Amino acid sequence: MPKITTAVLQKMKQQGDKITMLTAYDASFAKLFAEQGVDVLLIGDSLGMVLQGHSDTLPVTTADIAYHTRAVRAGAPDAFVIADMPFMSYATPEQAMQNATPLMQAGANMVKLEGGDFLLPTIKALTERGVPVCGHLGLTPQSVHLFGGFKVQGKTAEKADAMVRQALALQEAGAQLLVMECIPQPLAERITQALTIPVIGIGAGNVTDGQVLVMHDLLGISSGYIPKFSKNYLAQTGDIRSAITTYVSEVKAGIFPAKEHSFQ
């Protein structure tokens, strides 16, 4: 399998080859995911919920993400690895540069930041200094208290137009990848077609350039709430390796997410 880089991901978008992404937090699962053909591994701040037992992602620290990034890199030395920047670790460009440093040194190829217009100077500052950036729009879990819960975003024409504009602005500032979470499928399609960089969806339908899931949701072992956009591949296959390969093949074929996993 060729080494995945930002250039490879860009080419995959251009060729219509769907990108597969899963969260990973340790060496063993990172190795397994890489061996089964997952294109990108994300050290998500979701670890606050699925590993640490919190009700949201806010308590996660940069040190937590760096620790798990080192573990993932050790298990998958050739993987393309994205590290989430935790809540309030990038409130200013200076703070972002300071906190991105240990994540990149731990083995990340890219950092992911949630938000729109306020991030533009930060993305510019990071990319000018050699730190690749993945944006994140739609339902941004670090803003869950602002939204009043985990709710679908961009449902009105005005909010949809604003999100398209923000996506284009993030790309212009230097973002090389964009995650869109919990938005109506028509809006996801509009943004994917408007951008030249790859768009990865989670709860955004099968019209994006790729998909990401939290590994615990994919394996059906998340405690409590299982999102509408997730699918229990372990229940479907009965084997962890088969669950991963089935996820990869269904994303590549455009089978997942199906209509029942999407918001219309």
Side-chain angles (χ1 to χ4, degrees):
M1 185 176 169
K3 189 177 176 73
I4 303 291
T5 63
T6 52
V8 170
L9 295 173
Q10 186 66 52
K11 191 173 181 183
M12 290 174 74
K13 177 184 174 90
Q14 291 164 356
Q15 295 178 338
D17 183 8
K18 297 278 189 181
I19 298 163
T20 56
M21 186 188 300
L22 278 177
T23 63
Y25 315 98
D26 65 37
S28 299
F29 275 107
K31 182 174 187 290
L32 176 68
F33 295 166
E35 288 174 347
Q36 305 311 310
V38 178
D39 297 314
V40 180
L41 304 180
L42 170 67
I43 295 85
D45 58 4
S46 50
L47 68 86
M49 300 169 78
V50 297
L51 297 187
Q52 298 175 338
H54 301 300
S55 60
D56 53 44
T57 65
L58 274 58
V60 177
T61 66
T62 301
D64 291 336
I65 298 287
Y67 171 88
H68 290 282
T69 300
R70 282 192 296 273
V72 167
R73 177 53 75 202
D78 295 326
F80 190 88
V81 172
I82 302 176
D84 263 347
M85 294 199 68
F87 177 65
M88 289 300 284
S89 67
Y90 50 96
T92 65
E94 293 73 22
Q95 193 182 20
M97 288 185 284
Q98 185 177 352
N99 288 315
T101 302
L103 303 185
M104 296 297 288
Q105 290 173 335
N109 299 105
M110 178 179 269
V111 297
K112 182 165 76 64
L113 290 69
E114 297 181 7
D117 293 337
F118 84 94
L119 279 179
L120 301 180
T122 298
I123 292 172
K124 193 167 186 294
L126 286 170
T127 54
E128 282 177 348
R129 289 158 179 82
V131 180
V133 172
C134 174
H136 186 152
L137 289 173
L139 171 59
T140 46
Q142 291 175 13
S143 303
V144 63
H145 295 306
L146 200 61
F147 295 146
F150 294 95
K151 297 179 178 179
V152 180
Q153 302 298 308
K155 290 195 287 187
T156 67
E158 184 182 4
K159 287 182 177 177
D161 288 345
M163 204 176 295
V164 173
R165 183 190 56 74
Q166 287 188 332
L168 287 164
L170 293 178
Q171 175 180 267
E172 180 66 26
Q176 291 178 285
L177 207 64
L178 180 66
V179 169
M180 300 296 316
E181 181 169 355
C182 280
I183 64 170
Q185 181 165 313
L187 175 57
E189 186 168 24
R190 191 175 153 197
I191 290 171
T192 303
Q193 291 175 353
L195 267 56
T196 58
I197 61 172
V199 176
I200 309 298
I202 177 165
N206 66 355
V207 293
T208 54
D209 301 305
Q211 298 294 327
V212 59
L213 282 181
V214 173
M215 58 166 277
H216 292 68
D217 291 344
L218 179 143
L219 298 174
I221 56 173
S222 298
S223 58
Y225 173 70
I226 301 291
K228 167 189 167 75
F229 53 72
S230 189
K231 181 177 178 181
N232 186 339
Y233 279 95
L234 185 56
Q236 179 180 324
T237 62
D239 173 78
I240 290 179
R241 282 181 175 79
S242 298
I244 305 309
T245 54
T246 303
Y247 165 70
V248 170
S249 63
E250 287 196 357
V251 170
K252 296 285 186 189
I255 297 169
F256 177 82
K259 192 172 182 180
E260 64 265 28
H261 309 113
S262 309
F263 303 101
Q264 302 303 314

